[in-house]
Amino acid sequence: MTPKNVRRWSWIHKWSSLVCTVFMLLLCITGLPLIYHHEIIHALGNEVEAPEMPADTPRADIDRVVAAGMAAYPGKVMMYLSQDREEPDMWAMTLGDTPRDKNYKPLLVDARTAQLLPEPPVEGGPFMSLMFHLHVDLYAGLWGKLFLGFMGLLLILAVVSGVVLYAPFTRKLAFGTVRHERSRRVRWLDLHNVLGIVTLVWLLVVGTTGVINTWADLLLKAWQKTELAEITAPYAGLPPVTKLGSMSQMIAAAERAAPGMQVKYVAFPGTKFATPHHYIAFMQGTTPLTSRLQKPVLIDAQTGAVTASPDLPWYMVALRVSQPLHFGDYGGQALKLLWALLDIATIVVLVTGLYLWLKRGKAAAAKPAEVRAEEAAV
């Protein structure tokens, strides 16, 4: 690589890293508890569990379950109904004053007795809520998400440029070498480079999936304005639905339309994820992978007839796969541990990179040319 190219890539690496470092540190620090959000919620006593019952206890009719939730808050409307694959004995509900109420009310109802369970803390409690919003949107909604997405793009650029700069040194030094006999800054440089290469693939995976996740709202709107709008075109201009059909019939129809799949969640008419005239039941498979590849089933809210069962477009599939992959939520505790260790290693990479930059300045000019050449990759 010519000196001119080295300077060019060094400039790209330095500024892409510096601009995103503080925000990447924030994301790594807040991402660590989010990897173990289920375990932390349980440890804090904020997890609601269904009471123990015999395994063959029959499930209550879903219409009774919905009625129990509605009775708890008269005057509110149903927004969403969902069920976790790992918690089949509970239905989670979201109610609001309107179908798009941002101040929603979460409820849990026993799937076997149709009895209300203790009220769950919003977003897992204050601590997990803080970690979630700092990691996802900085409490700034869509613009916060897009800003963090831009920081993720800078991270990817920093990683790629770091690899380009580090490659020539691999011809002179064995991989993993930390030159303890050299100056402190050279030792920190070696540690920074080694950990950067070790976390390379993980950083690219987490950075790319993180960027995709920040586009979730935009991708959903794109799907609604294209494929979904085309499917529901015959309903355009019709008055809003005033009387909803039986939920048990809706779910039965969705299960017939998607054999071998089960309901993940149901968006009620008028909500963000549905249409003014349809329920949309998002169906999931029964394996760790297929449970992420959801299939929407559109159901006429009055007649209960299935309107369509389209496959999600590629960009929505990418989004659904990216969300759990970003937090290592695919392979149980082993993958979570790996994600946590790589997260910690990334924090070290970011801190050492910041340290190396702060130690430059006037001291760099006083160093021998050989040392300055070794540190050009910073």
Side-chain angles (χ1 to χ4, degrees):
M1 186 184 298
T2 65
K4 183 178 180 180
N5 285 336
V6 169
R7 288 194 298 271
R8 182 183 296 116
W9 281 105
S10 294
W11 185 91
I12 293 172
H13 184 67
K14 179 176 73 173
W15 289 108
S16 61
S17 301
L18 285 176
V19 172
C20 74
T21 289
V22 173
F23 295 99
M24 289 302 109
L25 272 173
L26 174 67
L27 293 178
C28 286
I29 292 170
T30 57
L32 198 54
L34 290 176
I35 293 173
Y36 289 102
H37 66 284
H38 287 302
E39 292 81 359
I40 292 175
I41 289 173
H42 179 77
L44 293 175
N46 292 334
E47 186 177 42
V48 178
E49 297 181 352
E52 290 288 339
M53 291 186 182
D56 58 352
T57 302
R59 296 169 65 83
D61 183 82
I62 191 62
D63 287 316
R64 283 183 55 208
V65 172
V66 172
M70 297 288 291
Y73 291 95
K76 292 189 178 291
V77 297
M78 282 289 299
M79 299 172 64
Y80 303 103
L81 178 70
S82 64
Q83 190 169 49
D84 193 322
R85 188 169 63 92
E86 297 178 357
E87 297 287 348
D89 295 330
M90 294 188 296
W91 283 101
M93 297 183 183
T94 305
L95 287 81
D97 293 327
T98 67
R100 290 182 178 245
D101 189 358
K102 293 183 179 180
N103 297 315
Y104 56 84
K105 190 71 178 177
L107 290 176
L108 291 175
V109 180
D110 193 304
R112 301 151 302 177
T113 64
Q115 298 294 313
L116 286 178
L117 295 171
E119 185 175 318
V122 176
E123 296 178 340
F127 173 73
M128 293 308 297
S129 178
L130 175 65
M131 294 297 101
F132 175 80
H133 284 288
L134 288 178
H135 191 87
V136 171
D137 63 5
L138 298 175
Y139 287 96
L142 177 60
W143 289 109
K145 292 179 181 179
L146 295 179
F147 175 78
L148 291 177
F150 178 64
M151 292 299 105
L153 290 175
L154 289 180
L155 171 66
I156 294 171
L157 182 59
V159 171
V160 172
S161 59
V163 171
V164 172
L165 289 170
Y166 184 65
F169 290 97
T170 60
R171 303 189 189 100
K172 302 177 182 178
L173 298 173
F175 175 77
T177 298
V178 177
R179 291 166 288 180
H180 296 284
E181 73 281 1
R182 304 301 298 270
S183 67
R184 177 185 297 179
R185 191 169 185 278
V186 171
R187 294 197 301 270
W188 280 76
L189 171 63
D190 288 342
L191 179 63
H192 175 81
N193 288 337
V194 169
L195 288 179
I197 294 299
V198 168
T199 59
L200 169 66
V201 174
W202 182 81
L203 275 172
L204 289 175
V205 169
V206 172
T208 302
T209 55
V211 170
I212 294 172
N213 290 341
T214 64
W215 298 338
D217 292 347
L218 300 180
L219 295 177
L220 175 64
K221 289 180 180 178
W223 177 61
Q224 290 174 329
K225 290 181 179 298
T226 53
E227 286 93 336
L228 190 59
E230 183 178 348
I231 293 170
T232 60
Y235 291 83
L238 295 180
V241 175
T242 56
K243 185 178 180 181
L244 301 178
S246 166
M247 177 55 57
S248 61
Q249 293 180 9
M250 304 289 176
I251 290 180
E255 290 174 343
R256 288 195 297 271
M261 305 185 81
Q262 60 189 29
V263 171
K264 169 65 176 177
Y265 68 94
V266 179
F268 279 63
T271 56
K272 177 181 178 180
F273 294 98
T275 80
H277 306 95
H278 295 85
Y279 292 97
I280 298 188
F282 289 87
M283 313 298 288
Q284 64 178 357
T286 56
T287 68
L289 177 61
T290 60
S291 65
R292 310 296 182 179
L293 302 176
Q294 297 168 7
K295 184 177 183 63
V297 178
L298 279 70
I299 304 166
D300 188 294
Q302 288 184 311
T303 66
V306 173
T307 300
S309 181
D311 291 325
L312 288 174
W314 67 267
Y315 54 87
M316 288 297 289
V317 173
L319 174 63
R320 294 301 183 189
V321 172
S322 294
Q323 288 171 334
L325 182 59
H326 185 70
F327 293 106
D329 194 16
Y330 268 119
Q333 294 301 319
L335 188 60
K336 285 187 177 184
L337 177 59
L338 176 61
W339 246 235
L341 293 174
L342 290 170
D343 187 292
I344 294 170
T346 300
I347 292 174
V348 176
V349 171
L350 295 169
V351 171
T352 54
L354 193 59
Y355 167 83
L356 290 166
W357 178 74
L358 292 173
K359 287 295 184 181
R360 293 194 70 164
K362 293 182 180 180
K367 292 181 180 180
E370 179 186 355
V371 174
R372 292 203 303 271
E374 291 174 344
E375 298 176 354
V378 180

